[in-house]
Amino acid sequence: MLQSTLDRTAVLAPNYRPLDVVIESADDCWVTDVDGKKYLDCLAGYSALNFGHNNPVLNKAVIDQLHKVTLVSRAFDHDQMLPFARELTELTGTEMMLPMNTGAEAVESAIKAARKWGYDVKGVAPEQANIIVAENSFHGRTTTIVSFSTDADAKDGYGPYTPGFRVVPYGDIEAVKEAIDDNTVALLFEPIQGESGVVLPPDSFLPALRELCDETNVLMILDEIQSGLGRTGHTLAQDYSGIRADLTTLGKALGGGVLPVSAVVGRRDVLQVMTPGTHGSTFGGNPLACALGRAVITILAEGEIQQRAAHLGSIMEERLKKIENDGHLADTRCRGLWAGIDVEPRLGLTGRQLCERLAERGMLCKDTHGSTIRLAPPLTISEEDLNYAMDILESVLNEQAASIGVD
Ligand SMILES: *Cc1c(COP(=O)(O)O)cnc(C)c1O
């Protein structure tokens, strides 16, 4: 099926080890490989494809804009920029936005804004700012971001590292309190840890962080690049806790799986420290990206896709809990149409092996680490297809249990 391994390793840097599937086309929740075999996509581009592959609304916006103008650079304004900014801040209940391209760039921009706010506004002494982050977080792959990663694979070999970060256990408010000092300018957390395997903090965590940040004049930055834009049954995952961060990073689904589109949204008095010449991007906020982002917002503004994620999520959770009760999953963590599942160790199946078997049966997923896999189908998936995916998962695990004599 796959071109020979030699071809692949000869010309392509080996920083990924994909499943043995070569995709040629896709529509909504289904992808088709070069042999015509169909698979249900239960990864959805790490939630970049929340609205499905080949989405007609997004395609139309991109194609229409493609024939008008695609890039002006930020040296000039264009007619899509301000409407995009207004609509995105309105959707997210924020005041101002800063457009970028990839998720990592949005995180970098939030870090830069927080540091500059710390020096210009809070009055932190030059070069002394620190930012508190969490263990097992994922915020991207730039040199600064991997500097505070606790994943050796992501970090090792890339030093010297950027200083100015303090790592605390995720979800531990007391540890955050202890780490804060007068030079702390921000806390940067995922409201739900995606790459770590859909790890949910205690319900009290985000409200407690909000309160702590208000008391200490520290910025609360939430990275919603994976959790945001409908996935959790809310527009933002932080909506579940009824709080608003000072800065929120968005990416992935903001470009609908068509283009990289990212942004920092948040407080005007913070983002306005980014004065002319102090930050920028050639492609950030380009007309094509803005037109696409606006189409994404029109989908989310209706609110129906969020409700759909919540409804389908409850079905998925019920199916997964049954598999857990059967003794084939050690843990399941769900929020909206997003789940992290840990294969029961007695089954002797790594996440990778499970994903390979699911792929054979026509379902695409990705392991995060060890025996944990993440399920995140497009939010447009039908109830029937979702149940079909759960049937495949259940039967693969049942077969494994039977084959090794575990019941
Ligand atoms: C994917 C992701 C990023 C990085 O986004 P890229 O577009 O790959 O740079 C950052 N933060 C979170 C939480 C992510 O899931």
Side-chain angles (χ1 to χ4, degrees):
M1 184 205 285
L2 196 59
Q3 307 95 311
S4 82
T5 317
L6 185 66
D7 286 347
R8 188 171 207 286
T9 56
V11 294
L12 189 61
N15 58 328
Y16 280 91
R17 185 166 74 103
L19 291 177
D20 190 13
V21 175
V22 182
I23 294 165
E24 189 174 82
S25 63
D27 194 54
D28 198 12
C29 305
W30 291 88
V31 301
T32 307
D33 75 7
V34 288
D35 300 320
K37 180 174 173 179
K38 285 183 179 290
Y39 304 81
L40 247 183
D41 182 358
C42 291
L43 178 65
Y46 300 97
S47 291
L49 288 153
N50 278 2
F51 317 107
H53 294 270
N54 202 12
N55 182 297
V57 173
L58 304 186
N59 281 3
K60 181 173 189 313
V62 171
I63 291 164
D64 287 352
Q65 188 62 40
L66 189 62
H67 294 295
K68 290 183 183 164
V69 58
T70 55
L71 187 71
V72 297
S73 89
R74 295 295 302 275
F76 316 109
D77 263 339
H78 59 79
D79 69 349
Q80 298 299 307
M81 178 69 85
L82 286 183
F84 179 46
R86 192 181 52 227
E87 289 156 15
L88 186 62
T89 51
E90 204 169 282
L91 178 78
T92 55
T94 56
E95 294 172 342
M96 191 174 258
M97 79 94 137
L98 170 71
M100 295 296 285
N101 309 284
T102 65
E105 285 175 305
V107 173
E108 287 275 349
S109 302
I111 290 169
K112 287 174 76 175
R115 284 181 169 183
K116 198 159 190 302
W117 172 87
Y119 300 124
D120 293 359
V121 180
K122 183 168 174 170
V124 171
E127 304 282 313
Q128 298 305 307
N130 70 69
I131 294 177
I132 297 167
V133 297
E135 278 173 6
N136 303 320
S137 60
F138 183 83
H139 296 288
R141 302 288 196 171
T142 63
T143 319
T144 288
I145 293 171
V146 300
S147 292
F148 59 84
S149 174
T150 55
D151 173 0
D153 288 342
K155 178 170 185 171
D156 289 358
Y158 295 124
Y161 302 111
T162 307
F165 298 94
R166 296 181 176 177
V167 184
V168 299
Y170 184 63
D172 183 343
I173 190 71
E174 292 307 319
V176 180
K177 276 184 192 161
E178 264 170 48
I180 289 183
D181 67 17
D182 291 345
N183 293 331
T184 304
V185 295
L187 318 177
L188 166 61
F189 292 108
E190 296 161 89
I192 296 171
Q193 289 189 318
E195 287 306 305
S196 189
V198 190
V199 174
L200 305 167
D203 276 353
S204 61
F205 185 59
L206 295 185
L209 280 185
R210 180 66 273 172
E211 212 170 296
L212 184 60
C213 285
D214 290 340
E215 279 167 11
T216 52
N217 194 26
V218 165
L219 299 177
M220 177 177 190
I221 307 174
L222 290 180
D223 182 349
E224 295 244 23
I225 288 164
Q226 195 164 152
S227 60
L229 307 179
R231 174 56 58 190
T232 62
H234 301 275
T235 301
L236 299 177
Q238 60 192 278
D239 294 340
Y240 174 86
S241 305
I243 54 111
R244 195 48 86 236
D246 298 307
L247 298 178
T248 298
T249 54
L250 299 171
K252 293 198 167 99
L254 191 57
V258 182
L259 291 171
V261 183
S262 72
V264 185
V265 293
R267 270 166 53 182
R268 186 177 296 117
D269 67 315
V270 177
L271 285 175
Q272 71 188 10
V273 302
M274 306 303 257
T275 50
T278 59
H279 188 55
S281 163
T282 303
F283 281 86
N286 69 74
L288 196 61
C290 290
L292 172 60
R294 293 183 69 193
V296 164
I297 294 165
T298 61
I299 295 174
L300 286 160
E302 289 165 15
E304 198 244 337
I305 195 101
Q306 294 89 324
Q307 283 169 22
R308 200 182 161 75
H311 171 67
L312 293 171
S314 66
I315 294 170
M316 180 164 77
E317 182 166 19
E318 202 173 302
R319 293 288 310 263
L320 293 173
K321 288 289 176 200
K322 180 185 174 288
I323 302 173
E324 186 179 342
N325 288 337
D326 289 344
H328 298 164
L329 293 175
D331 193 27
T332 61
R333 299 167 296 278
C334 301
R335 178 71 46 83
L337 194 57
W338 202 20
I341 59 175
D342 305 336
V343 179
E344 167 57 46
R346 286 181 309 153
L347 260 54
L349 203 58
T350 64
R352 171 80 187 192
Q353 288 168 325
L354 176 57
C355 289
E356 285 167 354
R357 294 204 195 163
L358 293 172
E360 277 167 29
R361 305 280 287 268
M363 172 178 172
L364 295 182
C365 298
K366 173 79 173 67
D367 51 310
T368 61
H369 50 81
S371 59
T372 299
I373 71 170
R374 167 185 30 198
L375 301 172
L379 309 179
T380 52
I381 193 171
S382 68
E383 210 170 304
E384 188 187 352
D385 284 344
L386 179 63
N387 274 308
Y388 177 66
M390 293 299 110
D391 291 344
I392 295 175
L393 176 66
E394 189 168 19
S395 74
V396 166
L397 291 171
N398 282 344
E399 279 164 27
Q400 174 68 8
S403 77
I404 60 166
V406 178
D407 264 327

